[in-house]
Amino acid sequence: MNFITSLLSNLNYGTILFLMLLESTVIPVPSEFVVTPAAYHAAGGNLNVFLVILFATIGADLGASINYIVAYYVGRPVIYSFANSKWGKMCLLNQEKVEKSEHYFDDHGVVATLTGRLIPGIRHLISIPAGLAKMNYWKFLLYTTIGAGVWHAILAALGWYLHAIVPEDQLNDKITEYAEYIKLFIIALVLIGIVYFVVKAYLKKKQV
């Protein structure tokens, strides 16, 4: 954890990519404390906010792909075994969390890969049921990229906004304070997305 703390205090495009790769596997790295501060510094001219979003999304794609490939080839028993192991608990993982992501995937189909990237608690695990279901990799990668890109753009917008009103020594406290508003906003976005895809599927079925 000291290693991750060191990376968080020295954010650049490489550390952003690496930390988001970790966050999209099973390592507990909160993306709001990576992308938001990076965008905060971008607003001060130290980084480019669009590159922050780009490298964060590439990192998320790489991490999600690792989860997908592992789940695709090792299967559910091994995933559950790891989730219940000492190492899994060190990563704040357990079988219940994996099953929760599977239920979400089962309920919403492949679109869950997109919308699931926006939901706390599921975001970094949604690639596991995609791999278990042997979802087409390129479709998985497309939806992951869109979902992760939207999430990182929201966090970057928050960081850019906070730069104008909050001194740096209060930044983490403000990120925590705004987290609840972000969750509500995300839930609204996800609901809109689900309604859109359900209506689209219904209209397509009706035309057949």
Side-chain angles (χ1 to χ4, degrees):
M1 283 301 175
N2 288 335
F3 172 64
I4 292 176
T5 302
S6 175
L7 292 178
L8 286 170
S9 63
N10 295 281
L11 288 174
N12 56 51
Y13 301 125
T15 56
I16 291 167
L17 185 151
F18 181 65
L19 287 167
M20 289 301 89
L21 183 155
L22 294 181
E23 193 259 355
S24 284
T25 54
V26 293
I27 309 298
V29 180
S31 52
E32 56 267 34
F33 290 103
V34 178
V35 180
T36 307
Y40 183 96
H41 293 305
N46 297 320
L47 295 168
N48 181 295
V49 70
F50 297 106
L51 291 180
V52 167
I53 296 170
L54 175 64
F55 279 93
T57 303
I58 292 172
D61 282 346
L62 292 173
S65 292
I66 291 171
N67 275 4
Y68 171 92
I69 291 168
V70 170
Y72 189 102
Y73 287 105
V74 306
R76 187 172 284 102
V78 177
I79 295 293
Y80 284 178
S81 177
F82 174 78
N84 291 323
S85 71
K86 178 179 71 174
W87 294 105
K89 288 179 173 56
M90 286 177 62
C91 295
L92 306 181
L93 195 63
N94 56 49
Q95 184 172 328
E96 183 182 352
K97 289 183 179 179
V98 177
E99 289 177 341
K100 183 179 178 182
S101 68
E102 286 191 81
H103 292 322
Y104 185 83
F105 186 88
D106 292 339
D107 290 343
H108 301 94
V110 294
V111 177
T113 310
L114 190 161
T115 58
R117 292 295 312 184
L118 302 172
I119 300 177
I122 291 178
R123 181 169 59 248
H124 65 300
L125 297 177
I126 196 64
S127 49
I128 292 176
L132 292 174
K134 301 193 183 304
M135 177 182 175
N136 177 274
Y137 175 74
W138 298 110
K139 183 179 288 187
F140 160 79
L141 185 62
L142 173 64
Y143 285 173
T144 297
T145 301
I146 295 171
V150 169
W151 172 241
H152 295 146
I154 291 169
L155 294 180
L158 175 62
W160 193 276
Y161 166 73
L162 290 178
H163 183 269
I165 64 170
V166 176
E168 188 169 357
D169 61 350
Q170 297 178 21
L171 179 59
N172 285 349
D173 290 336
K174 278 296 178 181
I175 292 172
T176 302
E177 180 183 328
Y178 276 81
E180 291 303 315
Y181 297 108
I182 293 175
K183 286 179 184 178
L184 291 174
F185 182 66
I186 291 302
I187 290 170
L189 274 182
V190 170
L191 289 174
I192 291 170
I194 291 172
V195 169
Y196 169 77
F197 282 106
V198 168
V199 171
K200 184 178 178 181
Y202 172 77
L203 292 175
K204 186 177 180 180
K205 185 177 180 180
K206 195 174 180 180
Q207 290 175 353
V208 175

